[in-house]
Amino acid sequence: REAVRQWLDAGPRCASALLLRLNACGTEWFDNDVALAAHPRVAGVLLPKSEDDAPLRTIADRLNANQGLVPLIETVKGHARLGAIAAAPRVQALVLGPADLMASLNMRTLVVGEQPEGYDVGDAYHHVLMRILIAARTRGIAAIDGPYLKVRDVDAFRRVAGRSAALG
């Protein structure tokens, strides 16, 4: 955390807006993460395992007025509360967190972003991606697919990215 603070204090290294990924609300690191997020170079925070709007409202009250929230939807509880999460103050995007969501669903695969073995018809992620997209579009915010971890398989990455792009 101190290394991140020093890096932020050192000044711009890029022109892009910076999002700081916090540890989950309720962890021992959360309060210190939120304090670091108030740094003027931080445009907003990425909040893992977002499952309800209450923590987002708490964080929004502690951030600077120009900072936004980007919740990661990584659990079945978060998926069930998408509407409330998307409607929380300052939410700018909803992001799928596929690895933790796969674990939350007990999906039988360790290949993040790929179809589980034995799921041979359709797309196991379609419902989740479409619900995130609908919740985001309803609020006028961005919908972002999660990471694809087989980084050396360019063809597979293009296929999975194309799947999300086709949804909008």
Side-chain angles (χ1 to χ4, degrees):
R1 198 169 286 107
E2 186 53 35
V4 171
R5 183 181 316 283
Q6 289 175 11
W7 184 85
L8 289 168
D9 287 344
R13 287 181 174 75
C14 61
S16 300
L18 296 172
L19 292 179
L20 183 65
R21 184 192 182 280
L22 306 182
N23 285 289
C25 188
T27 64
E28 62 186 278
W29 308 284
F30 181 73
D31 287 332
N32 288 331
D33 287 352
V34 173
L36 180 58
H39 194 283
R41 285 194 55 220
V42 175
V45 297
L46 190 64
L47 188 65
K49 293 190 174 63
S50 296
E51 296 185 332
D52 200 352
D53 58 319
L56 296 169
R57 292 177 189 286
T58 299
I59 295 166
D61 289 344
R62 293 173 62 184
L63 294 176
N64 298 326
N66 61 335
Q67 292 177 310
L69 298 172
V70 179
L72 279 161
I73 308 303
E74 301 182 281
T75 66
V76 292
K77 288 180 182 178
H79 182 72
R81 301 275 303 146
L82 266 171
I85 291 168
R90 296 207 233 163
V91 170
Q92 296 178 328
L94 298 172
V95 179
L96 172 64
D100 285 326
L101 184 64
M102 289 164 40
S104 179
L105 291 167
N106 295 322
M107 213 179 252
R108 296 184 322 186
T109 184
L110 296 176
V111 184
V112 175
E114 283 294 344
Q115 302 304 305
E117 187 177 335
Y119 196 90
D120 59 351
V121 177
D123 181 345
Y125 302 97
H126 179 79
H127 179 72
V128 173
L129 288 168
M130 189 55 76
R131 289 223 36 235
I132 288 172
L133 181 61
I134 290 169
R137 293 295 184 263
T138 299
R139 303 301 299 180
I141 60 177
I144 303 171
D145 193 358
Y148 184 78
L149 299 186
K150 290 175 66 178
V151 296
R152 291 183 180 15
D153 190 342
V154 176
D155 291 335
F157 172 74
R158 284 188 176 121
R159 179 179 40 78
V160 171
R163 173 189 74 197
S164 293
L167 293 178

